[in-house]
Amino acid sequence: MQTADKDERMKKLVSLCKRLGFVYPSGEVYGGLQSAWDYGPLGVELKKNIETHWWKEMVSTRPDIVGVDTSIITHPEVWVASGHVKNFHDAMVDCMECKSRFRADHAPGEKCPRCGGELTEPREFGLMFRTKMGAVEDESATVYLRPETCQSIFINFKNIVTSTRQTLPFGIAQLGKAFRNEITARNFIFRTREFEQMEMEFFCLSDDAAKWFDYWVDKRMNWYMALGIKKENLRLRPHTPDELAHYAESCVDIEYTFPFTTDGFGELEGIANRTDYDLRAQMEASGQDLSYVDQTTGEKVVPWVIETSGGVGRTFLAVLLDAYREEIVEDRTRVVLGLHRDLAPVKVAVLPLSRKLSEEARQVEEMLRPHLPVVFDVTGSIGKRYRRMDEIGTPFCVTFDFDSLEDRCVTVRDRDTLEQIRVPVEGIVDVMTRLMREGWQEEV
Ligand code: GAP
């Protein structure tokens, strides 16, 4: 795709997100808060569906992974031990003319990449959000909003082993907010200062770490494809030795073809072999023994860790970009969000052909409501209503027409093939739940 086309596509998507209620600029009535975004009624459903999909894949369907939900405000010593207080800085430069700020490595010359003005010397910029805890500000302790969710997993390792009796190898997962005072937060929800991470730390013996690393790279890549993201738009990129984080022995990023990136790809998730670095660092700083004792052999080890660490916002954006398409149907452009049915915020729309049929059609909506997220829409022509549903990614529409009064049947329409089938009202719940489970192809 040409750069102009990519820019255009991104613009259209950002505008669709606001217009239809996926994502709004935060604080818009006051002129907006830079890089902060609010998820609207459709956005919150899509986001929750992505999170549920991840939790199901990583926790509820696996006997060897448990979940936690830990405090965002974390003991400050955690971030000293993890190396964040010392290392989590970016060097940044300011343009003295246009006042733009850049990461020093993003402005490699002497001049401002935006206006050609003079740049300041690089200065260190701490990426952690700091706040005070306690009633009296002067006396209160400095604490940090966590910049990643995983450190609380490491500090709880012993608690979790004791209370769950999990044996190696096993994982601990967490999904929650993280905060980074990014110098350049931009590109819609791709890089924000407040975001959600989906992280899983898989503890194993050091000899098995390479095997589990390969296993998780494969598993995680397949997960993105299971969300409906096209394989050709994803790639795996191993880190070069000079870009590896201080804690990692190896790392592979899963990347997506985000339209605004310079080399065509941007990071969705990192899979890292973190060795025993974190457990040892937290053990040393806290003086607590966080090692694991094998109950049968009595052997004591500090396990190695394979981490999978992805972002909900970036997955959300990739899912939308991948699903967005424009196509010509009967000489008119139709915009479709071809979302996987598991992710679609609304699963089925009930549409009476005429207002006069509203009462009977409402009964169909009421039958479906306990089983599936359903909307009822009676405003505008049926063609317009179909298009509205296509645009928000609703996989199925159920139309109640005048014949329905006689034959007690309704028409079910598939968003992608535009095929239609006629089914009895009495069986509509079974048909829709089967369609949601198996998809349209199996139905027709
Ligand atoms: N525990 C390892 C860790 O935090 P990371 O590569 O810094 O690794 C993991 O972050 C994931 O979190 C990224 O792949 C990305 O999806 C998401 N992420 C990181 N910073 C982000 C930001 N400023 N805005 C949105 N998502 C971000």
Side-chain angles (χ1 to χ4, degrees):
M1 207 187 290
Q2 301 294 313
T3 313
D5 294 345
K6 286 183 176 177
D7 288 351
E8 192 55 26
R9 189 178 168 78
M10 189 65 196
K11 268 194 204 146
K12 281 182 181 171
L13 191 81
V14 174
S15 144
L16 177 145
C17 279
K18 183 175 171 201
R19 184 165 47 83
L20 300 176
F22 281 95
V23 180
Y24 309 120
S26 190
E28 206 182 7
V29 291
Y30 294 106
L33 179 64
Q34 202 206 353
S35 99
W37 301 92
D38 296 336
Y39 287 83
L42 293 178
V44 71
E45 296 296 335
L46 174 57
K47 186 151 82 72
K48 275 185 192 297
N49 290 341
I50 291 171
E51 292 170 354
T52 305
H53 213 283
W54 184 84
W55 195 262
K56 203 166 155 193
E57 163 92 5
M58 300 297 282
V59 185
S60 25
T61 58
R62 294 195 62 120
D64 57 350
I65 301 184
V66 293
V68 287
D69 185 1
T70 67
S71 172
I72 285 173
I73 301 169
T74 318
H75 196 295
E77 291 300 324
V78 170
W79 306 111
V80 177
S82 67
H84 281 80
V85 170
K86 186 159 171 262
N87 299 318
F88 207 46
H89 300 267
D90 270 346
M92 54 113 199
V93 289
D94 288 309
C95 172
M96 292 191 265
E97 304 292 322
C98 71
K99 310 296 176 206
S100 298
R101 176 168 286 175
F102 305 94
R103 258 173 51 186
D105 58 339
H106 288 175
E110 307 269 286
K111 302 284 181 203
C112 168
R114 198 159 290 156
C115 76
E118 289 296 314
L119 296 173
T120 60
E121 286 299 307
R123 282 176 295 181
E124 286 300 314
F125 189 81
L127 293 178
M128 278 199 291
F129 274 98
R130 216 179 299 191
T131 188
K132 291 278 189 181
M133 195 161 81
V136 184
E137 178 130 348
D138 287 354
E139 296 163 15
S140 55
T142 297
V143 289
Y144 300 98
L145 304 187
R146 64 185 181 199
E148 58 179 10
T149 64
C150 62
Q151 289 302 327
S152 315
I153 292 179
F154 300 128
I155 57 170
N156 274 298
F157 178 71
K158 198 82 186 175
N159 282 339
I160 294 162
V161 172
T162 309
S163 52
T164 65
R165 308 201 159 269
Q166 286 283 348
T167 53
L168 289 183
F170 76 95
I172 304 173
Q174 165 146 244
L175 199 161
K177 292 263 186 187
F179 301 82
R180 294 182 191 176
N181 202 3
E182 300 278 5
I183 297 166
T184 46
R186 63 163 80 117
N187 292 325
F188 194 33
I189 52 174
F190 181 82
R191 189 178 302 285
T192 50
R193 297 196 170 95
E194 171 183 343
F195 54 96
E196 265 134 335
Q197 286 192 316
M198 308 174 275
E199 296 202 296
M200 191 279 302
E201 310 301 315
F202 198 77
F203 299 88
C204 60
L205 295 173
S206 56
D207 285 352
D208 296 335
K211 179 186 83 184
W212 284 113
F213 180 77
D214 291 346
Y215 170 89
W216 283 112
V217 170
D218 202 40
K219 265 271 182 211
R220 296 306 302 143
M221 185 68 162
N222 285 335
W223 184 73
Y224 287 97
M225 290 192 276
L227 296 184
I229 300 178
K230 294 172 206 73
K231 191 177 180 183
E232 64 269 25
N233 291 337
L234 293 162
R235 77 169 182 191
L236 291 173
R237 192 185 65 81
H239 280 207
T240 55
D242 59 324
E243 67 176 318
L244 277 178
H246 60 279
Y247 52 75
E249 186 177 273
S250 50
C251 186
V252 167
D253 284 347
I254 298 177
E255 298 186 332
Y256 179 74
T257 52
F258 287 108
F260 40 76
T261 48
T262 38
D263 73 344
F265 283 88
E267 178 186 338
L268 280 171
E269 169 157 346
I271 295 109
N273 179 346
R274 295 181 74 120
T275 69
D276 55 1
Y277 177 89
D278 303 275
L279 282 177
R280 283 199 186 278
Q282 298 294 350
M283 274 167 71
E284 206 169 294
S286 65
Q288 301 290 316
D289 184 4
L290 300 178
S291 53
Y292 169 91
V293 181
D294 187 309
Q295 292 303 313
T296 33
T297 63
E299 200 190 341
K300 198 170 175 180
V301 286
V302 179
W304 277 36
V305 172
I306 306 303
E307 171 183 78
T308 70
S309 175
V312 177
R314 290 192 188 178
T315 306
F316 182 103
L317 183 55
V319 159
L320 282 180
L321 281 165
D322 221 68
Y324 183 92
R325 63 177 196 264
E326 292 172 12
E327 54 194 31
I328 305 292
V329 177
E330 290 162 8
D331 296 334
R332 288 186 53 200
T333 306
R334 121 175 147 124
V335 174
V336 187
L337 277 187
L339 294 172
H340 189 288
R341 56 188 184 280
D342 289 349
L343 300 187
V346 176
K347 310 296 185 200
V348 53
V350 175
L351 313 173
L353 194 64
S354 149
R355 272 186 191 281
K356 292 181 193 142
L357 299 167
S358 293
E359 205 181 310
E360 289 84 356
R362 278 277 182 207
Q363 289 167 14
V364 179
E365 182 211 353
E366 277 158 27
M367 288 168 75
L368 288 167
R369 187 162 293 287
H371 306 278
L372 292 167
V374 54
V375 294
F376 182 86
D377 188 4
V378 74
T379 50
S381 71
I382 190 72
K384 273 207 182 119
R385 282 182 275 158
Y386 280 149
R387 273 158 206 269
R388 261 204 302 267
M389 288 303 136
D390 293 342
E391 217 181 3
I392 67 168
T394 306
F396 307 110
C397 290
V398 171
T399 310
F400 194 100
D401 57 25
F402 286 100
D403 287 344
S404 307
L405 294 174
E406 302 299 320
D407 65 4
R408 299 296 300 155
C409 286
V410 283
T411 301
V412 179
R413 167 194 183 263
D414 176 51
R415 175 195 68 204
D416 296 323
T417 61
L418 297 176
E419 287 168 351
Q420 304 193 348
I421 49 169
R422 195 96 179 137
V423 301
V425 169
E426 277 59 41
I428 191 69
V429 170
D430 285 349
V431 169
M432 293 316 302
T433 44
R434 196 169 65 245
L435 278 174
M436 280 307 301
R437 205 174 47 242
E438 295 167 5
W440 186 262
Q441 294 313 318
E442 290 77 7
E443 179 65 18
V444 291

Coordinates of all heavy atoms in Angstrom, one line a residue, residues 21-24 38-45:
G21 N -18.5 5.5 18.2 CA -18.4 5.2 19.7 C -17.4 4.1 20.0 O -17.6 3.4 21.0
F22 N -16.3 4.0 19.3 CA -15.3 3.0 19.7 C -14.3 3.8 20.6 O -14.0 3.3 21.7 CB -14.5 2.4 18.5 CG -15.3 1.3 17.8 CD1 -16.1 1.6 16.7 CD2 -15.2 0.0 18.2 CE1 -16.8 0.6 16.1 CE2 -15.8 -1.0 17.6 CZ -16.6 -0.7 16.5
V23 N -13.7 4.9 20.1 CA -12.7 5.6 20.9 C -12.9 7.1 20.8 O -13.0 7.6 19.6 CB -11.3 5.2 20.5 CG1 -10.2 6.0 21.3 CG2 -11.0 3.7 20.6
Y24 N -12.9 7.8 21.9 CA -13.0 9.3 21.8 C -11.7 9.9 22.4 O -11.1 9.3 23.3 CB -14.1 9.8 22.7 CG -15.5 9.2 22.5 CD1 -16.1 8.5 23.6 CD2 -16.2 9.3 21.3 CE1 -17.3 7.9 23.4 CE2 -17.4 8.7 21.2 CZ -18.0 8.0 22.2 OH -19.2 7.4 22.1
D38 N -10.6 7.7 25.5 CA -11.6 7.1 26.2 C -12.3 6.1 25.3 O -12.6 6.4 24.2 CB -12.7 8.1 26.7 CG -12.1 9.1 27.7 OD1 -11.1 8.8 28.3 OD2 -12.6 10.3 27.8
Y39 N -12.5 4.9 25.8 CA -13.2 3.9 25.0 C -14.7 4.1 25.2 O -15.2 4.2 26.3 CB -12.8 2.5 25.5 CG -11.4 2.1 25.0 CD1 -10.3 2.5 25.8 CD2 -11.2 1.4 23.9 CE1 -9.0 2.3 25.4 CE2 -9.9 1.1 23.4 CZ -8.8 1.5 24.2 OH -7.5 1.3 23.8
G40 N -15.5 4.2 24.1 CA -16.9 4.4 24.1 C -17.7 3.1 24.2 O -17.1 2.0 24.4
P41 N -19.0 3.2 24.0 CA -19.9 2.0 24.2 C -19.4 0.8 23.3 O -19.5 -0.4 23.8 CB -21.2 2.5 23.8 CG -21.2 3.9 24.1 CD -19.8 4.4 23.8
L42 N -19.1 1.0 22.1 CA -18.7 -0.1 21.3 C -17.2 -0.5 21.6 O -16.9 -1.7 21.6 CB -18.8 0.2 19.8 CG -20.2 0.4 19.2 CD1 -20.2 0.7 17.8 CD2 -21.0 -0.9 19.4
G43 N -16.4 0.5 21.9 CA -15.0 0.2 22.1 C -14.8 -0.6 23.4 O -14.0 -1.5 23.4
V44 N -15.6 -0.3 24.4 CA -15.4 -1.0 25.7 C -15.8 -2.5 25.5 O -15.1 -3.4 26.0 CB -16.2 -0.4 26.8 CG1 -17.7 -0.6 26.7 CG2 -15.7 -0.9 28.2
E45 N -16.8 -2.8 24.6 CA -17.1 -4.2 24.4 C -16.0 -4.9 23.6 O -15.7 -6.0 23.9 CB -18.5 -4.2 23.6 CG -19.7 -3.7 24.3 CD -20.0 -4.4 25.5 OE1 -19.7 -5.6 25.7 OE2 -20.7 -3.8 26.4

